[in-house]
Amino acid sequence: MKSASRRLLPLVAACLLSACEPAPEPPSPALPQLGQADGRVQWRGLLACADCDGIEALLVLERQGDVHRYDLVETFLAGPEGARFAESGQWRLEDGMLRLQGERGALRLYALLPDGRLQPRDGRGRPFRRRDGDFLVPADADVR
């Protein structure tokens, strides 16, 4: 009887541990639809910062016909007030990579993950080192 309970203990522990993990969020269908239909999609997140407490980011993509616009607002959290930066430009989605081309020439890349999150990437589309936890999560969508 003791050997049977010893064999069941790891199974029970695994079941309990898996029950404690949060369920993955369902995929966000809004971005692929936005590539084919008009509307607006928002993502939010808190990104890592080397010399501040974090960077609050809000990314809004809009599509009206052939016009693909974005607005990105980043607030660097340092002290009682944060420094706020905003940029706008054009966006496009290719092969799971969201490309933001700013009006002042800035280029930003984000990988669209299967669960709908966006992960910042470097200029070649590679993940940034030691920033595996940086994500923007879907916050709102209005796609027609």
Side-chain angles (χ1 to χ4, degrees):
M1 188 74 153
K2 283 189 177 183
S3 66
S5 62
R6 283 185 190 159
R7 282 183 266 165
L8 288 176
L9 185 58
L11 180 62
V12 171
C15 290
L16 290 173
L17 287 175
S18 66
C20 294
E21 292 180 20
E25 291 186 28
S28 172
L31 184 58
Q33 288 177 7
L34 190 57
Q36 303 159 2
D38 289 349
R40 175 186 176 134
V41 181
Q42 283 185 17
W43 285 266
R44 294 181 180 273
L46 182 63
L47 306 176
C49 179
D51 56 355
C52 67
D53 293 331
I55 304 168
E56 283 184 355
L58 170 64
L59 173 62
V60 179
L61 302 183
E62 294 184 88
R63 178 179 177 192
Q64 297 296 323
D66 291 336
V67 178
H68 298 83
R69 302 257 329 132
Y70 80 88
D71 291 303
L72 175 65
V73 177
E74 294 177 315
T75 304
F76 289 70
L77 305 176
E81 293 184 23
R84 185 174 182 255
F85 298 93
E87 74 177 50
S88 298
Q90 305 291 317
W91 65 270
R92 72 180 190 270
L93 180 64
E94 294 177 343
D95 299 323
M97 194 68 65
L98 177 64
R99 299 178 187 284
L100 306 179
Q101 183 67 55
E103 292 171 347
R104 297 184 193 133
L107 174 65
R108 294 177 186 249
L109 300 176
Y110 293 86
L112 175 61
L113 303 178
D115 62 1
R117 295 178 299 166
L118 294 175
Q119 183 182 43
R121 297 293 176 102
D122 70 12
R124 295 184 177 160
R126 297 176 301 201
F128 288 105
R129 289 184 179 193
R130 295 182 290 271
R131 290 181 57 190
D132 293 338
D134 278 2
F135 298 102
L136 300 180
V137 297
D140 190 27
D142 178 20
V143 179
R144 303 175 237 20

